[in-house]
Amino acid sequence: MIEVVKFQAADMEAIKDQPAQIYVREFLTEEHLQALALQEFSYTIKIRGRIVACTGVIQYWKDRGEAWTFIHEDCKKEFYAIHKIVKRFLDICPLKRIEATVDIGFIEGHRWVKNLGFVLEAPLMKAYLPNGGDSSLYSRVRG
């Protein structure tokens, strides 16, 4: 059974980070998690009662937001379901512009955002990530 529920800060405790996201944990404080939980578009995906992903969009203003996702490292079997849920959410999200950033070296992340319908806007944003690493910027713009 698949459930999509409102994200709670404690849900992140169940996520075992993928290698490409491990460094983010040291920058992700309880205050950050609480702020994500307060966002209108923040969700937790459970499959057979197990938390497999925490995801959503941080809304910056009326028609612009930034997508975020933490996917459990051990969810290869569930990934297609996660993909379908996130794609459906992005398709119905009322924001006109949704951005996503991907660590420059995270090949699977680049492939996934493209499959979600994002288009590369900025291939290299130097020192964008919290650890000083480089990132790429993608967007989905409605209409």
Side-chain angles (χ1 to χ4, degrees):
M1 180 168 114
I2 298 173
E3 292 178 272
V4 179
V5 298
K6 184 71 178 126
F7 171 76
Q8 300 295 318
D11 294 345
M12 282 295 288
E13 293 173 19
I15 299 290
K16 181 178 177 193
D17 297 318
Q18 298 179 50
Q21 289 184 313
I22 288 173
Y23 77 90
V24 177
R25 268 313 161 135
E26 71 180 277
F27 301 101
L28 200 58
T29 67
E30 182 63 28
E31 183 177 89
H32 289 117
L33 293 173
Q34 293 297 336
L36 286 175
L38 293 174
Q39 290 287 316
E40 179 179 357
F41 307 117
S42 291
Y43 303 98
T44 296
I45 301 170
K46 297 179 181 181
I47 298 179
R48 291 179 295 285
R50 182 175 86 116
I51 293 176
V52 294
C54 297
T55 187
V57 172
I58 299 167
Q59 188 170 357
Y60 292 129
W61 52 74
K62 181 180 177 283
D63 278 326
R64 177 178 169 242
E66 184 173 355
W68 63 275
T69 302
F70 287 87
I71 299 175
H72 197 289
E73 179 185 49
D74 183 27
C75 71
K76 287 179 177 57
K77 288 186 240 175
E78 296 92 355
F79 185 76
Y80 182 69
I82 293 167
H83 173 80
K84 284 178 52 175
I85 292 165
V86 171
K87 176 94 168 67
R88 171 84 173 119
F89 163 72
L90 291 169
D91 289 345
I92 64 171
C93 183
L95 303 181
K96 181 174 183 169
R97 176 183 174 88
I98 301 173
E99 300 168 0
T101 59
V102 179
D103 184 307
I104 202 87
F106 187 23
I107 303 306
E108 295 88 352
H110 289 273
R111 185 179 315 122
W112 189 45
V113 296
K114 289 175 186 175
N115 285 330
L116 289 170
F118 287 87
V119 175
L120 181 64
E121 283 192 345
L124 176 60
M125 297 191 313
K126 288 194 168 280
Y128 181 85
L129 299 173
N131 66 349
D134 300 335
S135 185
S136 298
L137 173 68
Y138 292 82
S139 71
R140 281 178 54 124
V141 180
R142 202 181 303 281

